[in-house]
């Protein structure tokens, strides 16, 4: 297991892991609960990565094909003169517990994985002889499904290493604030960021300021920026205001197409 706080560079570090593992003859494969996390791991590390659900389906199918019986055809004479030649085809079963691929599986964002999912990964790894590296942060949000296997494994003696040095935050005060949050000292984090905090009690004026700040950025800057709000209602309101403003200044078309889309309900099975 690899335990690391947000921003320490776990995903980027796996680029080096891949290089070392491949040099040692391993095939490195990755998986993550969400499609976005899977894409991030693949882009940052070069490890071929899919969602865990897809990985499990493909690996089950692969192991089923590997364990199919092999047909063996035997041709020979059954008489002393060698005139009565016959061919016999028999099926030779494979040992399903002896696939023994030299593979390393990287499970990113492991804190989001439920117990059932981790059990399935381990079961397939045992059957294929693969090594598995679970990477994540036990302090992050847990997955929707039951169980906290990543945290439980750490508490019960899994071979583990930790990454603690923050690398994502470049500014010193942001780095110190992030470290304070990790230490669960939120008061200290707010104190460090006091000169960055702008408090606007009036909700409409606050939303106006957010929209103004978004519009002041270039399209490229906007693509790299995030507005984080507590509620979906606020998210929709800010998105609508920004979209309307961009239409007013002519940056996007006023012609709209409405489309019904599926929204995840976040339910367990």
């Amino acid at each position: 297991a690899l335990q690391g706080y947000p921003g320490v560079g776990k995903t980027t570090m796996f680029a080096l892991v891949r290089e070392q593992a491949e040099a040692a003859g391993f095939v490195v494969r990755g998986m993550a609960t969400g499609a976005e996390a899977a894409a991030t791991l693949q882009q940052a590390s070069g490890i071929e990565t899919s969602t865990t659900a897809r990985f499990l389906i493909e690996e089950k199918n692969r192991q089923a094909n590997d364990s199919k019986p092999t047909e063996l055809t035997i041709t020979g004479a059954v008489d002393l003169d060698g005139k009565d030649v016959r061919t016999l085809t028999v099926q030779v079963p494979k040992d399903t517990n002896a696939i023994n691929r030299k593979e390393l599986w990287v499970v990113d964002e492991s804190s989001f994985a439920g117990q059932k999912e981790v059990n399935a990964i381990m079961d397939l790894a045992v059957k294929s002889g693969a090594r598995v590296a679970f990477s994540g942060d036990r302090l992050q949000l847990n997955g929707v499904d039951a169980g906290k296997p990543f945290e439980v494994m750490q508490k019960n003696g899994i071979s583990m290493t930790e990454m603690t040095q923050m690398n994502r935050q470049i500014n010193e005060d942001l780095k110190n604030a992030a470290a304070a949050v990790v230490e669960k000292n939120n008061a200290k984090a707010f104190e460090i960021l006091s000169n960055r905090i702008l408090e606007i009690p009036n909700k409409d004026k606050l939303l106006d300021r957010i929209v103004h700040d978004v519009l002041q950025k270039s399209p490229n800057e906007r693509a790299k920026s995030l507005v984080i709000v507590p509620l979906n209602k606020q998210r929709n309101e800010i998105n609508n205001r920004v979209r309307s403003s961009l239409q007013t200044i002519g940056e996007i078309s006023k012609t709209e197409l409405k489309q019904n889309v599926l929204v995840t309900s976040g339910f367990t099975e």
Side-chain angles (χ1 to χ4, degrees):
L2 172 66
Q3 162 61 32
Y5 300 134
V8 296
K10 297 186 296 296
T11 304
T12 305
M13 183 274 302
F14 273 110
L16 179 60
V17 171
R18 176 186 58 76
E19 290 176 9
Q20 295 295 314
E22 289 177 347
F26 282 85
V27 173
V28 186
R29 301 167 66 200
M31 69 190 91
T33 301
E36 189 172 342
T40 299
L41 176 62
Q42 180 162 319
Q43 184 178 6
S45 67
I47 297 171
E48 185 178 341
T49 308
S50 64
T51 62
T52 304
R54 180 178 176 181
F55 185 99
L56 292 174
I57 291 172
E58 292 180 347
E59 182 60 26
K60 284 176 184 176
N61 291 337
R62 190 162 72 141
Q63 291 191 14
N65 289 331
D66 285 348
S67 61
K68 284 181 179 178
T70 300
E71 285 195 348
L72 183 63
T73 302
I74 304 170
T75 302
V78 295
D79 64 332
L80 293 177
D81 296 330
K83 295 179 179 179
D84 189 2
V85 178
R86 300 183 187 181
T87 299
L88 177 67
T89 300
V90 295
Q91 290 191 332
V92 181
K94 289 183 180 177
D95 181 0
T96 57
N97 293 317
I99 298 172
N100 287 328
R101 298 196 195 94
K102 195 172 181 181
E103 292 190 345
L104 171 64
W105 299 351
V106 175
V107 186
D108 202 17
E109 302 288 5
S110 293
S111 65
F112 295 116
Q115 188 64 56
K116 185 177 178 182
E117 192 172 63
V118 168
N119 286 353
I121 294 169
M122 289 181 165
D123 181 55
L124 291 173
V126 168
K127 290 177 179 176
S128 70
R131 298 288 300 276
V132 185
F134 292 96
S135 170
D137 179 13
R138 64 177 179 272
L139 300 179
Q140 281 189 295
L141 294 173
N142 296 312
V144 175
D145 290 335
K148 297 195 289 185
F150 187 60
E151 181 177 340
V152 171
M153 286 189 290
Q154 292 188 34
K155 290 180 177 178
N156 287 274
I158 190 172
S159 177
M160 187 181 81
T161 190
E162 292 190 69
M163 293 178 67
T164 57
Q165 183 178 338
M166 299 280 184
N167 292 303
R168 181 179 298 157
Q169 292 79 11
I170 299 173
N171 295 18
E172 196 65 27
D173 56 346
L174 294 180
K175 184 179 292 188
N176 293 335
V181 171
V182 166
E183 295 166 0
K184 298 185 178 179
N185 192 341
N186 293 335
K188 181 180 178 182
F190 276 109
E191 182 182 344
I192 294 171
L193 297 177
S194 59
N195 63 335
R196 291 177 175 266
I197 295 173
L198 176 64
E199 186 175 357
I200 303 176
N202 183 281
K203 179 188 170 184
D204 280 335
K205 289 183 179 179
L206 174 61
L207 295 179
D208 286 341
R209 175 57 187 263
I210 293 172
V211 172
H212 173 269
D213 287 352
V214 171
L215 293 175
Q216 288 301 303
K217 295 181 179 295
S218 69
N220 286 337
E221 289 176 324
R222 276 186 232 130
K224 299 175 184 177
S225 302
L226 291 175
V227 177
I228 301 174
V229 296
L231 302 173
N232 281 327
K233 181 180 179 182
Q234 295 167 341
R235 173 177 63 87
N236 292 332
E237 191 168 353
I238 291 171
N239 280 342
N240 289 336
R241 288 190 183 205
V242 170
R243 186 179 299 111
S244 177
S245 298
L246 291 175
Q247 288 176 329
T248 299
I249 63 177
E251 193 167 315
I252 61 176
S253 171
K254 292 185 177 181
T255 303
E256 295 185 346
L257 174 65
K258 293 192 175 182
Q259 181 70 41
N260 290 325
V261 296
L262 296 174
V263 179
T264 178
S265 54
F267 292 156
T268 64
E269 279 189 308

PDB file of all heavy atoms in Angstrom, residues 10-23 28 44-47:
ATOM      1  N   LYS A  10       1.558  11.303  -5.589  1.00  0.00           N
ATOM      2  CA  LYS A  10       1.462   9.835  -5.691  1.00  0.00           C
ATOM      3  C   LYS A  10       1.327   9.385  -7.139  1.00  0.00           C
ATOM      4  O   LYS A  10       2.033   8.476  -7.594  1.00  0.00           O
ATOM      5  CB  LYS A  10       0.245   9.331  -4.891  1.00  0.00           C
ATOM      6  CG  LYS A  10       0.301   9.598  -3.396  1.00  0.00           C
ATOM      7  CD  LYS A  10      -0.862   8.951  -2.677  1.00  0.00           C
ATOM      8  CE  LYS A  10      -2.217   9.498  -3.066  1.00  0.00           C
ATOM      9  NZ  LYS A  10      -2.399  10.917  -2.719  1.00  0.00           N
ATOM     10  N   THR A  11       0.417  10.021  -7.870  1.00  0.00           N
ATOM     11  CA  THR A  11       0.143   9.609  -9.244  1.00  0.00           C
ATOM     12  C   THR A  11       1.370   9.810 -10.130  1.00  0.00           C
ATOM     13  O   THR A  11       1.741   8.928 -10.917  1.00  0.00           O
ATOM     14  CB  THR A  11      -1.058  10.396  -9.804  1.00  0.00           C
ATOM     15  OG1 THR A  11      -2.173  10.214  -8.931  1.00  0.00           O
ATOM     16  CG2 THR A  11      -1.428   9.892 -11.185  1.00  0.00           C
ATOM     17  N   THR A  12       2.033  10.961  -9.991  1.00  0.00           N
ATOM     18  CA  THR A  12       3.224  11.245 -10.783  1.00  0.00           C
ATOM     19  C   THR A  12       4.355  10.282 -10.441  1.00  0.00           C
ATOM     20  O   THR A  12       5.118   9.848 -11.325  1.00  0.00           O
ATOM     21  CB  THR A  12       3.687  12.696 -10.531  1.00  0.00           C
ATOM     22  OG1 THR A  12       2.591  13.582 -10.790  1.00  0.00           O
ATOM     23  CG2 THR A  12       4.847  13.062 -11.436  1.00  0.00           C
ATOM     24  N   MET A  13       4.475   9.920  -9.171  1.00  0.00           N
ATOM     25  CA  MET A  13       5.530   9.018  -8.725  1.00  0.00           C
ATOM     26  C   MET A  13       5.443   7.660  -9.427  1.00  0.00           C
ATOM     27  O   MET A  13       6.461   6.988  -9.641  1.00  0.00           O
ATOM     28  CB  MET A  13       5.420   8.843  -7.204  1.00  0.00           C
ATOM     29  CG  MET A  13       6.490   7.985  -6.564  1.00  0.00           C
ATOM     30  SD  MET A  13       6.120   6.221  -6.585  1.00  0.00           S
ATOM     31  CE  MET A  13       4.567   6.164  -5.717  1.00  0.00           C
ATOM     32  N   PHE A  14       4.212   7.263  -9.817  1.00  0.00           N
ATOM     33  CA  PHE A  14       4.055   5.950 -10.435  1.00  0.00           C
ATOM     34  C   PHE A  14       4.685   5.877 -11.830  1.00  0.00           C
ATOM     35  O   PHE A  14       4.842   4.784 -12.375  1.00  0.00           O
ATOM     36  CB  PHE A  14       2.572   5.560 -10.491  1.00  0.00           C
ATOM     37  CG  PHE A  14       2.115   4.871  -9.230  1.00  0.00           C
ATOM     38  CD1 PHE A  14       1.245   5.496  -8.361  1.00  0.00           C
ATOM     39  CD2 PHE A  14       2.567   3.602  -8.910  1.00  0.00           C
ATOM     40  CE1 PHE A  14       0.831   4.872  -7.188  1.00  0.00           C
ATOM     41  CE2 PHE A  14       2.164   2.969  -7.754  1.00  0.00           C
ATOM     42  CZ  PHE A  14       1.295   3.610  -6.879  1.00  0.00           C
ATOM     43  N   ALA A  15       5.053   7.000 -12.410  1.00  0.00           N
ATOM     44  CA  ALA A  15       5.801   6.962 -13.671  1.00  0.00           C
ATOM     45  C   ALA A  15       7.144   6.275 -13.451  1.00  0.00           C
ATOM     46  O   ALA A  15       7.590   5.463 -14.273  1.00  0.00           O
ATOM     47  CB  ALA A  15       6.006   8.385 -14.204  1.00  0.00           C
ATOM     48  N   LEU A  16       7.791   6.580 -12.320  1.00  0.00           N
ATOM     49  CA  LEU A  16       9.070   5.941 -11.978  1.00  0.00           C
ATOM     50  C   LEU A  16       8.853   4.468 -11.636  1.00  0.00           C
ATOM     51  O   LEU A  16       9.652   3.605 -12.027  1.00  0.00           O
ATOM     52  CB  LEU A  16       9.717   6.667 -10.801  1.00  0.00           C
ATOM     53  CG  LEU A  16      11.050   6.091 -10.310  1.00  0.00           C
ATOM     54  CD1 LEU A  16      12.094   6.119 -11.409  1.00  0.00           C
ATOM     55  CD2 LEU A  16      11.543   6.859  -9.082  1.00  0.00           C
ATOM     56  N   VAL A  17       7.767   4.177 -10.918  1.00  0.00           N
ATOM     57  CA  VAL A  17       7.442   2.784 -10.589  1.00  0.00           C
ATOM     58  C   VAL A  17       7.288   1.963 -11.869  1.00  0.00           C
ATOM     59  O   VAL A  17       7.803   0.848 -11.979  1.00  0.00           O
ATOM     60  CB  VAL A  17       6.150   2.709  -9.746  1.00  0.00           C
ATOM     61  CG1 VAL A  17       5.685   1.255  -9.592  1.00  0.00           C
ATOM     62  CG2 VAL A  17       6.365   3.333  -8.380  1.00  0.00           C
ATOM     63  N   ARG A  18       6.563   2.539 -12.844  1.00  0.00           N
ATOM     64  CA  ARG A  18       6.358   1.836 -14.117  1.00  0.00           C
ATOM     65  C   ARG A  18       7.691   1.553 -14.796  1.00  0.00           C
ATOM     66  O   ARG A  18       7.936   0.429 -15.268  1.00  0.00           O
ATOM     67  CB  ARG A  18       5.460   2.672 -15.038  1.00  0.00           C
ATOM     68  CG  ARG A  18       5.260   2.054 -16.427  1.00  0.00           C
ATOM     69  CD  ARG A  18       4.483   2.972 -17.349  1.00  0.00           C
ATOM     70  NE  ARG A  18       5.109   4.260 -17.510  1.00  0.00           N
ATOM     71  CZ  ARG A  18       6.185   4.493 -18.274  1.00  0.00           C
ATOM     72  NH1 ARG A  18       6.747   3.504 -18.954  1.00  0.00           N
ATOM     73  NH2 ARG A  18       6.690   5.704 -18.375  1.00  0.00           N
ATOM     74  N   GLU A  19       8.567   2.553 -14.852  1.00  0.00           N
ATOM     75  CA  GLU A  19       9.863   2.366 -15.501  1.00  0.00           C
ATOM     76  C   GLU A  19      10.661   1.248 -14.835  1.00  0.00           C
ATOM     77  O   GLU A  19      11.235   0.386 -15.508  1.00  0.00           O
ATOM     78  CB  GLU A  19      10.658   3.675 -15.449  1.00  0.00           C
ATOM     79  CG  GLU A  19      10.096   4.781 -16.338  1.00  0.00           C
ATOM     80  CD  GLU A  19      10.852   6.080 -16.172  1.00  0.00           C
ATOM     81  OE1 GLU A  19      11.918   6.058 -15.493  1.00  0.00           O
ATOM     82  OE2 GLU A  19      10.413   7.110 -16.704  1.00  0.00           O
ATOM     83  N   GLN A  20      10.711   1.267 -13.496  1.00  0.00           N
ATOM     84  CA  GLN A  20      11.481   0.265 -12.758  1.00  0.00           C
ATOM     85  C   GLN A  20      10.872  -1.133 -12.910  1.00  0.00           C
ATOM     86  O   GLN A  20      11.584  -2.127 -13.080  1.00  0.00           O
ATOM     87  CB  GLN A  20      11.552   0.646 -11.270  1.00  0.00           C
ATOM     88  CG  GLN A  20      12.320   1.923 -10.997  1.00  0.00           C
ATOM     89  CD  GLN A  20      13.794   1.802 -11.341  1.00  0.00           C
ATOM     90  OE1 GLN A  20      14.444   0.827 -10.996  1.00  0.00           O
ATOM     91  NE2 GLN A  20      14.312   2.782 -12.059  1.00  0.00           N
ATOM     92  N   ALA A  21       9.534  -1.197 -12.849  1.00  0.00           N
ATOM     93  CA  ALA A  21       8.850  -2.491 -12.956  1.00  0.00           C
ATOM     94  C   ALA A  21       9.024  -3.089 -14.344  1.00  0.00           C
ATOM     95  O   ALA A  21       9.292  -4.289 -14.492  1.00  0.00           O
ATOM     96  CB  ALA A  21       7.371  -2.326 -12.623  1.00  0.00           C
ATOM     97  N   GLU A  22       8.874  -2.247 -15.379  1.00  0.00           N
ATOM     98  CA  GLU A  22       9.036  -2.736 -16.749  1.00  0.00           C
ATOM     99  C   GLU A  22      10.471  -3.200 -17.000  1.00  0.00           C
ATOM    100  O   GLU A  22      10.694  -4.192 -17.702  1.00  0.00           O
ATOM    101  CB  GLU A  22       8.622  -1.654 -17.746  1.00  0.00           C
ATOM    102  CG  GLU A  22       7.115  -1.412 -17.769  1.00  0.00           C
ATOM    103  CD  GLU A  22       6.711  -0.294 -18.714  1.00  0.00           C
ATOM    104  OE1 GLU A  22       7.600   0.465 -19.169  1.00  0.00           O
ATOM    105  OE2 GLU A  22       5.504  -0.168 -18.986  1.00  0.00           O
ATOM    106  N   ALA A  23      11.439  -2.498 -16.408  1.00  0.00           N
ATOM    107  CA  ALA A  23      12.835  -2.900 -16.557  1.00  0.00           C
ATOM    108  C   ALA A  23      13.087  -4.261 -15.910  1.00  0.00           C
ATOM    109  O   ALA A  23      13.976  -5.004 -16.330  1.00  0.00           O
ATOM    110  CB  ALA A  23      13.752  -1.843 -15.926  1.00  0.00           C
ATOM    111  N   VAL A  28       2.798  -3.496 -16.323  1.00  0.00           N
ATOM    112  CA  VAL A  28       2.127  -2.671 -15.316  1.00  0.00           C
ATOM    113  C   VAL A  28       0.759  -2.253 -15.851  1.00  0.00           C
ATOM    114  O   VAL A  28       0.653  -1.707 -16.956  1.00  0.00           O
ATOM    115  CB  VAL A  28       2.962  -1.426 -14.956  1.00  0.00           C
ATOM    116  CG1 VAL A  28       2.310  -0.674 -13.793  1.00  0.00           C
ATOM    117  CG2 VAL A  28       4.381  -1.825 -14.592  1.00  0.00           C
ATOM    118  N   ALA A  44      -0.438  10.815 -16.313  1.00  0.00           N
ATOM    119  CA  ALA A  44       0.699  11.225 -15.482  1.00  0.00           C
ATOM    120  C   ALA A  44       1.792  10.173 -15.403  1.00  0.00           C
ATOM    121  O   ALA A  44       2.969  10.510 -15.236  1.00  0.00           O
ATOM    122  CB  ALA A  44       0.209  11.562 -14.073  1.00  0.00           C
ATOM    123  N   SER A  45       1.424   8.901 -15.529  1.00  0.00           N
ATOM    124  CA  SER A  45       2.401   7.840 -15.292  1.00  0.00           C
ATOM    125  C   SER A  45       2.725   6.997 -16.521  1.00  0.00           C
ATOM    126  O   SER A  45       3.727   6.273 -16.534  1.00  0.00           O
ATOM    127  CB  SER A  45       1.876   6.897 -14.194  1.00  0.00           C
ATOM    128  OG  SER A  45       0.733   6.191 -14.658  1.00  0.00           O
ATOM    129  N   GLY A  46       1.872   7.072 -17.552  1.00  0.00           N
ATOM    130  CA  GLY A  46       2.081   6.229 -18.721  1.00  0.00           C
ATOM    131  C   GLY A  46       1.606   4.802 -18.528  1.00  0.00           C
ATOM    132  O   GLY A  46       1.809   3.954 -19.397  1.00  0.00           O
ATOM    133  N   ILE A  47       0.953   4.526 -17.400  1.00  0.00           N
ATOM    134  CA  ILE A  47       0.420   3.190 -17.139  1.00  0.00           C
ATOM    135  C   ILE A  47      -0.935   3.042 -17.823  1.00  0.00           C
ATOM    136  O   ILE A  47      -1.810   3.898 -17.661  1.00  0.00           O
ATOM    137  CB  ILE A  47       0.254   2.952 -15.618  1.00  0.00           C
ATOM    138  CG1 ILE A  47       1.613   3.013 -14.918  1.00  0.00           C
ATOM    139  CG2 ILE A  47      -0.421   1.611 -15.341  1.00  0.00           C
ATOM    140  CD1 ILE A  47       1.518   3.000 -13.396  1.00  0.00           C
TER     141      ILE A  47
END
